[in-house]
Amino acid sequence: MDAGNLVSDEIMIGIIREVLQSEKCTNGFILDGFPRTVPQAEALAKVLEERRIRLDRVINFQVSRAEIVKRLNGRRSCPKCQATFHTEFAPPQKSDICDRCGEKLVQRNDDKRDAIEMRLKVYEEQTSPLIQYYDQKGLLTHLDGAGPVDGVHQRLTKVLAPYRSV
């Protein structure tokens, strides 16, 4: 993962199967970043069918490559208290120092430029085919993922509103 590669399908499907059996998913769930390949999507469909769960919607966040690199490369986190920051969008008060506990912030290996480029290459090769896969099933919605978090959140909330549990 640190090198930008994906976790194996077997491991991911096992994790998803286990999570879907938990009480946390009784009233619905959102899978963020899964599936990442067509074989994972096919395996997910089988797991959902076994559990008699219907997949309501698949969201494709559309963001430029330059914006993705900027967002990921700027992320920083505190190894002590797990607080997260961004060099541009949510910078700490003191450069590279955690506001909460004073620890030196770090950049995850998978947020470094080389790993980001590898992640984008893997996305183009393995994940982007999901767009066609879910579009053919009538489940896909494209969503503009650019701009401030509040705006993206509002657009997402509007798309998901018909599927909210009561």
Side-chain angles (χ1 to χ4, degrees), residues 54-71:
R54 181 175 54 93
L55 185 62
D56 293 318
R57 209 82 222 125
V58 174
I59 310 296
N60 176 36
F61 289 92
Q62 297 178 307
V63 183
S64 73
R65 184 181 188 95
E67 183 68 15
I68 291 168
V69 171
K70 184 169 143 181
R71 287 180 184 182

Side-chain angles (χ1 to χ4, degrees), residues 1-4 68-77 84-86 106-117 119:
M1 218 171 92
D2 283 347
I68 291 168
V69 171
K70 184 169 143 181
R71 287 180 184 182
L72 295 176
N73 193 248
R75 290 197 299 196
R76 300 293 184 272
S77 61
T84 58
F85 300 88
H86 192 279
V106 297
Q107 183 180 35
R108 292 178 5 185
N109 287 333
D110 63 336
D111 284 342
K112 293 181 179 171
R113 191 163 298 276
D114 288 346
I116 294 168
E117 291 300 330
R119 290 167 71 182

Side-chain angles (χ1 to χ4, degrees), residues 27-149:
N27 294 318
F29 55 89
I30 294 175
L31 299 175
D32 180 8
F34 183 86
R36 293 200 177 188
T37 65
V38 171
Q40 285 182 358
E42 292 167 342
L44 173 63
K46 288 178 186 170
V47 169
L48 293 175
E49 187 178 329
E50 290 167 8
R51 307 246 339 121
R52 295 189 175 121
I53 299 171
R54 181 175 54 93
L55 185 62
D56 293 318
R57 209 82 222 125
V58 174
I59 310 296
N60 176 36
F61 289 92
Q62 297 178 307
V63 183
S64 73
R65 184 181 188 95
E67 183 68 15
I68 291 168
V69 171
K70 184 169 143 181
R71 287 180 184 182
L72 295 176
N73 193 248
R75 290 197 299 196
R76 300 293 184 272
S77 61
C78 178
K80 186 175 179 183
C81 74
Q82 309 304 312
T84 58
F85 300 88
H86 192 279
T87 56
E88 184 178 336
F89 307 120
Q93 292 175 5
K94 264 181 143 176
S95 183
D96 291 329
I97 302 296
C98 180
D99 292 349
R100 287 190 197 164
C101 70
E103 191 78 15
K104 182 165 175 45
L105 298 176
V106 297
Q107 183 180 35
R108 292 178 5 185
N109 287 333
D110 63 336
D111 284 342
K112 293 181 179 171
R113 191 163 298 276
D114 288 346
I116 294 168
E117 291 300 330
M118 174 57 86
R119 290 167 71 182
L120 290 171
K121 182 177 184 238
V122 168
Y123 172 82
E124 289 162 3
E125 294 171 358
Q126 298 180 31
T127 305
S128 67
L130 288 171
I131 295 169
Q132 182 178 357
Y133 176 86
Y134 282 117
D135 192 36
Q136 289 175 342
K137 295 184 177 302
L139 295 169
L140 187 69
T141 296
H142 296 284
L143 189 81
D144 180 6
V149 173

